[in-house]
Amino acid sequence: MSLPSPVTDIDRLMAELHQLASISDASVPPPAVTRVVFTPKDLEAREYLHGLYQDAGLEVRVDAIGNMFARWRGSKPDLPAVGTGSHTDAIPHAGMYDGTVGVLGGLEAIRSLQRAGFQPRRSIEVVMFTSEEPTRFGIGCTGSRLMSGALTPDLLSQLRDGEGDGYDTVRRVAGFQGELKDCLLMDEYYSAFIELHIEQGPMLEQEQLDIGIVTAIAAPATAEFTVMGEGGHAGGVLMPARRDALAAASEMILAIEARAKGSVSPDLVATVGCVDVHPGAVNSIPSRVVFTLDLRDIDGANRDLVLREIGDQVETISKRRNVEVEWRVLNADPPALSDQRVVDAVERATNRLKLSSRKMISRAYHDSLFMARVAPMGMIFIPCRGGVSHRPDEYSSPEQIKAGVETLAITLAELSSS
Ligand code: GLV
Ligand code: MN
Ligand code: MN
């Protein structure tokens, strides 16, 4: 098959990445980025993207949850398209590359093929998925979950943010109307879906490799624990009488860490990233604590087993400390496998570009976890400095990004030609 040599404008792409990074909550100083779904900054970022898509001559469509699709029409527009893309929302105090490299890089891959004079047979579509990050509504990938049928509109509408506002209300106020059920993709909407992303781990850098070819995405789960004790005056209540919800939660959190550290599976990871203490006063005994658990493993069955064991341990600690605990699982998703045909196409692209690569597993989750349910899926990873991500100092170099974009472009060219 004769494939084009993409003509990448890396300076332009880097300028766009920096411009997007500047669209961030003013409360965080650069280089930190915070862009939470359906906030004014999220909407501003979408506007910016919309303009770029139009400049590239792409047909833009936005669905009821705000997923944004930009299509480069192929010569056989009725055939299932080849999809790419990622997210532009950013957790509090994030870096500027997570997700954005896959969206703006996806756009640059298309532009680089346009510059090379390539004419796709199948349409190529870049997607910006709504809310890959779980920051606002507790679970991530709401856009791709809805597109793939992994989440029903009913369940989505039951999600509430920290202010108690429902997902459906918030998305409508943000300007996204229409029926959520219409977000579900038609059968064979995509013939393949491929996402470019920074690795968010240290392996590629340590092994001095250009590209990671993802063969599977680990299984994520999220749970929320509410511990209820008894509040009171920090001076007046003596220690034997206390039922301190935070002290109990602390023991639970340490038990979670110990359980994860003792796992037979080295891939199991557990993180408690949010703790909310009520009433949160210096001189008041905590009466209620809500904390989250993010639990992942490549082995979904082991992840589920550990989740059940953590639940048992938390109950045991609550009884011994005479507090109450309630917990609920927000999501417990199975892992996803990449499609061999897509993996092979990425590998051929790296060979063509003379880039070094390895097969690897994605420990972070991505919208591709859900796209794998509706399309043959693959992912391209590029190294990031020190493996650092979800931090302001997240960094991939222009050369590393260019290698990722060119690998993506050739993969898209091949998959859109078949
Ligand atoms: C995605 O942001 C993840 O937490 O893996
Ligand atoms: Mn992220
Ligand atoms: Mn991401």
Side-chain angles (χ1 to χ4, degrees), residues 41-329:
K41 291 298 171 185
D42 176 42
L43 301 182
E44 200 180 321
R46 289 161 182 271
E47 272 305 300
Y48 176 59
L49 274 180
H50 195 267
L52 295 180
Y53 289 154
Q54 282 182 323
D55 290 350
L58 307 183
E59 294 163 19
V60 182
R61 136 179 116 82
V62 179
D63 73 7
I65 197 176
N67 293 313
M68 194 191 261
F69 306 78
R71 181 169 282 231
W72 183 21
R73 192 180 266 260
S75 60
K76 299 268 184 231
D78 296 335
L79 287 177
V82 177
T84 186
S86 193
H87 61 101
T88 58
D89 64 326
I91 65 162
H93 296 264
M96 59 173 271
Y97 301 92
D98 174 6
T100 56
V101 163
V103 177
L104 289 172
L107 169 62
E108 181 55 26
I110 288 177
R111 287 187 308 220
S112 72
L113 291 174
Q114 290 174 336
R115 284 183 209 110
F118 178 71
Q119 180 53 53
R121 182 166 172 268
R122 294 173 186 276
S123 300
I124 299 178
E125 188 165 82
V126 55
V127 190
M128 191 233 58
F129 294 97
T130 284
S131 190
E132 190 265 357
E133 301 290 6
T135 310
R136 184 159 185 178
F137 291 99
I139 69 168
C141 301
T142 52
S144 51
R145 282 177 196 271
L146 213 55
M147 280 165 71
S148 64
L151 184 65
T152 61
D154 270 1
L155 286 174
L156 181 89
S157 299
Q158 287 168 26
L159 297 175
R160 302 254 168 274
D161 68 9
E163 306 295 312
D165 295 327
Y167 201 112
D168 199 38
T169 310
V170 175
R171 66 113 190 170
R172 283 182 191 279
V173 170
F176 303 105
Q177 311 294 333
E179 295 289 328
L180 289 172
K181 66 174 172 39
D182 295 340
C183 297
L184 187 65
L185 289 184
M186 289 174 309
D187 282 348
E188 304 205 349
Y189 181 88
Y190 290 125
S191 62
F193 186 86
I194 174 121
E195 179 172 357
L196 170 65
H197 206 283
I198 61 169
E199 180 195 345
Q200 306 183 287
M203 209 175 268
L204 292 175
E205 186 184 69
Q206 278 168 5
E207 296 180 15
Q208 299 188 341
L209 297 172
D210 301 313
I211 296 292
I213 305 172
V214 172
T215 53
I217 304 177
T222 320
E224 186 186 79
F225 295 78
T226 303
V227 184
M228 287 148 300
E230 191 172 355
H233 195 287
V237 184
L238 294 178
M239 297 313 282
R242 292 202 181 195
R243 296 170 55 228
D244 183 325
L246 181 57
S250 306
E251 195 175 329
M252 293 167 187
I253 294 167
L254 289 176
I256 289 170
E257 185 194 43
R259 179 64 191 82
K261 280 186 167 166
S263 168
V264 284
S265 158
D267 298 308
L268 183 112
V269 284
T271 307
V272 175
C274 296
V275 180
D276 183 54
V277 181
H278 182 82
V282 171
N283 51 357
S284 185
I285 300 163
S287 60
R288 192 181 70 243
V289 170
V290 181
F291 68 89
T292 56
L293 168 65
D294 176 310
L295 186 68
R296 311 176 187 213
D297 197 347
I298 286 157
D299 176 347
N302 187 53
R303 192 268 327 267
D304 289 342
L305 172 76
V306 172
L307 188 56
R308 283 196 298 277
E309 287 179 7
I310 285 175
D312 291 346
Q313 270 179 299
V314 160
E315 306 269 356
T316 305
I317 293 168
S318 76
K319 287 200 180 82
R320 180 160 41 70
R321 284 186 162 266
N322 195 22
V323 296
E324 269 135 53
V325 67
E326 283 171 7
W327 65 289
R328 61 191 183 112
V329 176

Side-chain angles (χ1 to χ4, degrees), residues 18-37:
H18 282 279
Q19 180 65 31
L20 188 52
S22 74
I23 306 175
S24 168
D25 277 5
S27 55
V28 292
V33 179
T34 298
R35 206 164 39 236
V36 177
V37 67

